[in-house]
Amino acid sequence: MKRALWPLEKSLRLAVCCLFAALLVAGVLLWGAQRYWCWSQYQQDRLQQTLDQRRQQVQQRQQARQTIAQYQAPFNRLLAQQIIGTEQQAEHLQALARHRQQHPQQQLQYQLHAPQPWLAAAPIANLQTFASPLNIELRLRDEDALSSFSLWLEQQPGLIAPARCEMRLAQPSGIVLNCDYLWLTLQPRPAESR
């Protein structure tokens, strides 16, 4: 009888071994699938982070384009008025000399100093406000002449801001004007002050 059970026992052992081998293969496959799932999840997270960064960069660039478009016209006006860029001091002096030649009765006297950083204005991005002190003394016949001179001064390149003005009556007639102005420009800040 023992021999009759032997093929059955052998079959049973073979079935148990096959079951064990199948469970081992299934375990390895499950472990591999879980590792692959973890790796793919990690890759997906990395790709999602990259996508989020790219979207943020696109959004920042779009905002920068909108800002540029919004401020382009005022910036171009500042460039056209020569408020941004190096001061053209020689042109200022020539304009003052021409005005003196064209209006000798005004007895225009002026003194324009070299531009210096204007500490009253905070830097804007990499631009610093520079001021060239300008002292003007002239003789005008009346208030209309004063208005004409002020208008002429405003039309000059750059931004001219009055700092101090004194007016007194001239003898025998007219007005004597003694004014200090600041000729303002925006220029790139020196590298050491950034």
Side-chain angles (χ1 to χ4, degrees):
M1 193 144 160
K2 264 187 167 192
R3 284 198 158 220
L5 288 177
W6 186 74
L8 184 60
E9 185 180 321
K10 195 173 181 184
S11 298
L12 215 61
R13 279 188 186 164
L14 184 62
V16 168
C17 284
C18 286
L19 179 64
F20 180 73
L23 286 175
L24 184 63
V25 168
V28 169
L29 286 175
L30 281 175
W31 177 81
Q34 190 267 343
R35 294 289 294 166
Y36 179 76
W37 183 82
C38 288
W39 178 81
S40 63
Q41 192 66 32
Y42 170 75
Q43 289 296 326
Q44 185 179 359
D45 291 345
R46 273 190 46 218
L47 289 173
Q48 186 63 44
Q49 287 175 352
T50 303
L51 179 63
D52 292 344
Q53 288 173 349
R54 297 294 185 254
R55 283 181 177 158
Q56 187 177 15
Q57 289 172 350
V58 166
Q59 185 178 15
Q60 288 171 346
R61 287 186 179 132
Q62 287 173 343
Q63 287 175 344
R65 283 190 185 109
Q66 289 172 350
T67 302
I68 288 170
Q70 179 182 0
Y71 292 107
Q72 189 66 47
F75 180 77
N76 289 339
R77 281 194 303 275
L78 292 174
L79 283 176
Q81 292 173 322
Q82 295 180 358
I83 293 173
I84 295 178
T86 58
E87 182 178 318
Q88 306 298 323
Q89 199 165 32
E91 289 179 19
H92 299 328
L93 290 171
Q94 289 172 357
L96 288 165
R98 274 194 309 276
H99 185 82
R100 180 170 41 196
Q101 249 181 350
Q102 293 169 354
H103 305 279
Q105 73 280 8
Q106 290 183 352
Q107 301 171 5
L108 174 63
Q109 300 295 318
Y110 57 86
Q111 186 174 12
L112 182 61
H113 299 279
Q116 296 293 321
W118 192 37
L119 302 178
I124 303 168
N126 68 338
L127 295 174
Q128 171 75 44
T129 304
F130 281 77
S132 296
L134 170 66
N135 176 266
I136 290 180
E137 187 172 322
L138 71 153
R139 188 181 186 108
L140 302 165
R141 68 180 183 281
D142 56 22
E143 290 84 6
D144 289 338
L146 174 60
S147 294
S148 295
F149 178 75
S150 295
L151 182 63
W152 174 84
L153 205 53
E154 286 176 13
Q155 292 172 347
Q156 298 309 304
L159 176 66
I160 299 174
R164 177 197 63 82
C165 239
E166 293 177 2
M167 262 192 299
R168 60 178 162 46
L169 292 176
Q171 295 302 326
S173 67
I175 303 168
V176 174
L177 186 68
N178 185 341
C179 289
D180 291 328
Y181 294 93
L182 294 175
W183 216 312
L184 302 173
T185 54
L186 291 171
Q187 300 176 24
R189 282 195 300 168
E192 66 273 358
S193 67
R194 288 184 193 173

